[in-house]
Amino acid sequence: MPTGVSIALLTCDLRVHDNPVLHAAARDDGPTVPLFVLDDAIREAGFVPPNRAAFLADCLEDLDRSLRDRGGALLLLQGDAVERTVRLAEALGGARVHVAEGFSGFGQHREQRLRALLGDRLTVHQAVATTVAPGALLPAGRDHYAVFGAYHRRWLLAERRKPLLAPRKLTLPQLPFTGLTMAAARDRLAAAGKPAPGLMAGGEGQARQRLRRWLGSGAVDDYPTLQDDLNADGTSRLSPYLHFGCLSATEAAHRATREGSPGAAAFLRQLAWRDFHHQLLAARPDCAHGDYRSRQDHWREDPAELDAWRNGRTGYPLVDAGMRQLLHEGWMHNRARMVTASFLSKTLYLDWRSGAEHFLRHLVDGDLANNQLNWQWVAGTGTDTRPNRVLNPLRQAERFDPQGEYVRRWVPELADVPGAAVHRPWQLPAADRARLDYPEPLVALDESLARFRRARGL
Ligand SMILES: Cc1cc2nc3c(=O)[nH]c(=O)nc-3n(C[C@H](O)[C@H](O)[C@H](O)COP(=O)(O)OP(=O)(O)OC[C@H]3O[C@@H](n4cnc5c(N)ncnc54)[C@H](O)[C@@H]3O)c2cc1C
């Protein structure tokens, strides 16, 4: 029989505002244990590389502070999340457990194991990480949407819960064992390695401040015009906060809907993309590694080219700028992600998985649903209805970085090359070129385009 203690097992929801898991646990009769488990399996799978480890440490610290302000505290454990949670629940005399639904194969498996061990003492909450639960919107006769346009139209009309207030007061029970101190958790996370020098700071406080600036101060109004402008940096940069759940997507969507401007509508559309990819991964967890739609590709293997791409040394300045931004900030502008991903998978015709893996190692917002499925979208093995389009890095540079500022910011070797000339350093006079420590283009664009078209049988 439940004893009246409730555990809020926090996973993708490291926040006190609009957190259905914490909210429900706090509303049960009796005390609440907000729990986070540093899961060995996730770490061993390489899913907590330095940037996300450092960001996660910020999130946990911020969350613990907010919980303490309300009379609670975060219990931090390490090990197998299922085993640790169930052991705690039993030691508390049969506590109830609340958790957010999982999307990936790993998350779904965790949920099944918890269910098997806890039975009806487990409550799984939907629409915690997304605004619409995967599976809540379905086309006739299918278990997920495969076309974004149709999904988006349904998504705009979908019922959504109202954002929940943060619990005002929490009460902790007598705990049967002590957890890790925050300092110990930080140390363990820091063992992942040194984070990127320009990494954003994590935590719900940061997230709420950014959301206020983004929606409250008019920044979002310029979004439709600046969204693809690489130099303007005119996107919200909320992705890592959404990924770790220190910002609720439901609350962001709710506020944007209230705003009602064209900019807010464009921002909402991006949140719909996020939900779209989550519902796709939930229905097809195999797409974390396998093609959603195989194009019978026989990818090339070329470790030297892969290495040049990873290090921003392809000789195509826009591609290199994006890759260097990733290494410096642990984040990359969406347009640059598209250009660099197209360059790897179509221009070099290397397996999208090797690019996705590099992104996942460095992106602070790196997540299976958005990363793998965006990679597949670009590589043409995903849901893009024009799977064979190739983004030409020079044309992309002319459109989205016309004066070359973005390139000059991230590729210091080219900082003195003026204007749009920076996108074609090979056209500089030989004497100027010789002074630059910058590589020649790795491949010729027309030849690589022909190679790609042959490979796809076009
Ligand atoms: C190859 C590739 C890999 C990507 N990997 C990831 C990833 O691992 N994690 C991730 O969150 N996003 C990923 N994206 C999507 C997108 O690039 C980022 O979400 C966006 O750049 C984050 O910046 P922002 O918060 O300023 O976005 P904004 O433009 O302000 O958009 C608001 C929010 O909408 C969501 N969003 C925006 N674009 C997309 C999209 N195309 N797909 C899904 N959600 C979107 C994000 O949560 C974002 O924070 C990837 C895109 C590509 C092309």
Side-chain angles (χ1 to χ4, degrees):
M1 276 300 287
T3 53
V5 176
S6 289
I7 297 171
L9 172 58
L10 302 171
T11 53
C12 57
D13 45 358
L14 304 180
R15 60 179 184 266
V16 295
H17 294 88
D18 189 42
N19 186 336
V21 171
L22 183 64
H23 192 262
R27 285 188 64 153
D28 285 343
D29 301 330
T32 313
V33 186
L35 169 67
F36 183 85
V37 184
L38 292 171
D39 197 317
D40 288 340
I42 296 181
R43 188 176 44 81
E44 282 159 16
F47 219 75
V48 199
N51 293 338
R52 289 202 294 285
F55 196 90
L56 173 60
D58 288 351
C59 295
L60 295 175
E61 211 162 273
D62 183 277
L63 178 60
D64 185 49
R65 240 186 335 262
S66 301
L67 292 168
R68 284 176 192 276
D69 287 347
R70 292 163 169 82
L74 185 62
L75 176 62
L76 279 165
L77 298 176
Q78 179 169 4
D80 169 26
V82 173
E83 186 269 323
R84 304 301 332 244
T85 305
V86 172
R87 187 128 69 90
L88 176 66
E90 299 315 336
L92 286 165
R96 283 177 290 248
V97 175
H98 295 266
V99 70
E101 72 178 326
F103 308 105
S104 60
F106 181 84
Q108 292 177 13
H109 184 54
R110 178 177 58 206
E111 198 175 300
Q112 285 156 9
R113 288 177 61 211
L114 283 169
R115 170 84 61 215
L117 293 165
L118 293 168
D120 59 9
R121 278 194 285 142
L122 179 75
T123 308
V124 176
H125 296 265
Q126 294 200 317
V128 178
T130 51
T131 78
V132 174
L137 306 177
L138 293 178
R142 295 208 54 181
D143 66 352
H144 66 281
Y145 270 93
V147 178
F148 176 71
Y151 179 78
H152 182 221
R153 284 190 290 280
R154 281 283 300 280
W155 184 90
L156 284 171
L157 303 173
E159 285 262 340
R160 290 195 186 80
R161 61 180 172 76
K162 284 218 173 70
L164 301 161
L165 293 175
R168 293 240 297 266
K169 179 137 186 51
L170 292 164
T171 314
L172 277 175
Q174 186 69 39
L175 289 173
F177 38 78
T178 49
L180 295 173
T181 61
M182 195 52 72
R186 229 184 216 290
D187 281 353
R188 280 172 210 207
L189 287 166
K194 210 163 149 13
L199 190 71
M200 288 181 247
E204 186 177 13
Q206 289 282 332
R208 297 189 75 74
Q209 212 177 65
R210 271 178 197 270
L211 182 69
R212 268 197 302 276
R213 271 207 305 268
W214 177 245
L215 288 179
S217 69
V220 75
D221 292 342
D222 295 325
Y223 188 57
T225 41
L226 296 185
Q227 183 176 7
D228 277 315
D229 181 332
L230 283 158
N231 186 47
D233 205 5
T235 67
S236 70
R237 286 195 180 234
L238 287 171
S239 51
Y241 303 95
L242 290 164
H243 170 67
F244 284 94
C246 33
L247 177 66
S248 145
T250 296
E251 185 178 350
H254 183 80
R255 289 205 190 181
T257 306
R258 232 178 27 201
E259 199 88 3
S261 61
F267 172 66
L268 267 172
R269 189 170 189 277
Q270 296 314 108
L271 294 177
W273 267 110
R274 186 172 175 274
D275 283 5
F276 174 72
H277 286 141
H278 277 86
Q279 58 98 40
L280 217 150
L281 185 69
R284 291 274 310 270
D286 57 299
C287 288
H289 306 288
D291 290 336
Y292 178 71
R293 288 194 181 110
S294 170
R295 306 288 173 196
Q296 309 302 328
D297 287 299
H298 296 283
W299 305 104
R300 294 172 59 245
E301 276 186 37
D302 190 321
E305 287 186 5
L306 180 59
D307 226 46
W309 176 83
R310 284 185 183 135
N311 292 310
R313 302 278 298 166
T314 67
Y316 285 97
L318 187 63
V319 174
D320 294 342
M323 298 308 292
R324 310 251 193 121
Q325 180 178 25
L326 176 63
L327 296 179
H328 186 85
E329 294 194 342
W331 186 88
M332 198 198 295
H333 192 287
N334 180 59
R335 177 54 54 179
R337 295 187 204 204
M338 289 169 66
V339 172
T340 53
S342 172
F343 191 83
L344 182 94
S345 59
K346 288 178 166 164
T347 303
L348 298 179
Y349 198 51
L350 300 177
D351 194 335
W352 64 265
R353 276 160 281 248
S354 52
E357 188 187 313
H358 179 76
F359 269 33
L360 276 186
R361 196 172 316 130
H362 292 277
L363 279 175
V364 62
D365 62 23
D367 83 40
L368 272 187
N370 287 320
N371 191 58
Q372 311 306 81
L373 293 166
N374 270 297
W375 263 96
Q376 295 212 43
W377 192 89
V378 176
T381 63
T383 58
D384 188 3
T385 48
R386 290 171 56 202
N388 297 318
R389 71 173 112 190
V390 177
L391 300 183
N392 177 316
L394 299 179
R395 260 186 261 134
Q396 293 283 310
E398 280 152 18
R399 283 184 66 189
F400 303 116
D401 186 31
Q403 296 310 314
E405 288 107 329
Y406 177 74
V407 163
R408 275 188 292 278
R409 186 175 337 137
W410 292 112
V411 187
E413 305 95 289
L414 301 177
D416 295 330
V417 182
V422 77
H423 293 306
R424 296 167 192 264
W426 55 88
Q427 289 180 349
L428 293 171
D432 293 347
R433 223 168 62 216
R435 274 199 295 275
L436 299 175
D437 173 27
Y438 187 70
E440 292 296 318
L442 201 55
V443 287
L445 294 180
D446 49 354
E447 284 169 23
S448 59
L449 180 62
R451 174 175 66 195
F452 174 71
R453 293 177 63 82
R454 272 196 310 278
R456 286 270 167 103
L458 303 170

